Amino acid sequence: QQDRSLWIVEGSYPVTNVPIMASAPTINSTNVYPDLERWRLLAPEGQYEDVYNRYAHINIVLTDGETRFELLQADLFLLTLSFEDMKTLDIKYVLSETNYSAMDNRYVQFTSIAYENGYHIYEVHYSD
């Protein structure tokens, strides 16, 4: 049985499409159609709808700060995603060049499950 848990890739296109090549559901793979329901979990008032309501490549950067969306070009936006809001999206795996193994964070813990060619794969565990 295949794990259908959600992935994100911290980085940019084309790396954001790597997990989907292995059939891993990836939030920020190229979105041909916007997932308005998902994005409204992060911005319930729709304040960023003009940014995410489009065909888009999506770059994600994780942060201790606030979640925000930023349009970079017509088919590309940046989601600066707070560690706290990762749980809102129910993310289980992260592909990243960043070493999060020793990070001390009150919302999320990263368990390294693989490292290859400069990229880490982490399983994510949330604090209650």
Side-chain angles (χ1 to χ4, degrees):
Q1 179 177 342
Q2 185 177 3
D3 186 348
R4 299 300 300 163
S5 300
L6 291 176
W7 287 63
I8 61 168
V9 177
E10 188 177 34
S12 59
Y13 177 84
V15 177
T16 53
N17 287 336
V18 167
I20 63 171
M21 291 189 296
S23 299
T26 307
I27 289 173
N28 64 317
S29 60
T30 301
N31 282 209
V32 177
Y33 298 99
D35 189 335
L36 299 177
E37 188 175 313
R38 173 178 292 136
W39 301 135
R40 287 179 183 141
L41 292 172
L42 300 176
E45 289 89 42
Q47 65 269 36
Y48 296 110
E49 192 162 337
D50 61 328
V51 174
Y52 59 68
N53 188 11
R54 64 186 64 235
Y55 167 97
H57 302 288
I58 304 165
N59 295 351
I60 290 181
V61 174
L62 299 175
T63 183
D64 275 324
E66 291 187 21
T67 295
R68 64 187 181 280
F69 294 80
E70 179 184 355
L71 187 62
L72 301 178
Q73 61 190 49
D75 66 349
L76 172 65
F77 69 83
L78 172 64
L79 170 59
T80 302
L81 181 62
S82 73
F83 294 115
E84 183 178 12
D85 281 338
M86 289 176 66
K87 186 174 184 176
T88 301
L89 296 181
D90 197 27
I91 296 161
K92 185 172 180 185
Y93 298 103
V94 175
L95 174 66
S96 177
E97 291 180 287
T98 304
N99 184 354
Y100 288 117
S101 296
M103 185 186 75
D104 183 28
N105 185 286
R106 67 182 185 155
Y107 299 109
V108 63
Q109 292 77 45
F110 295 88
T111 302
S112 180
I113 57 175
Y115 178 78
E116 189 70 38
N117 295 323
Y119 285 91
H120 303 266
I121 296 176
Y122 297 102
E123 186 172 351
V124 178
H125 305 277
Y126 298 99
S127 305
D128 290 328

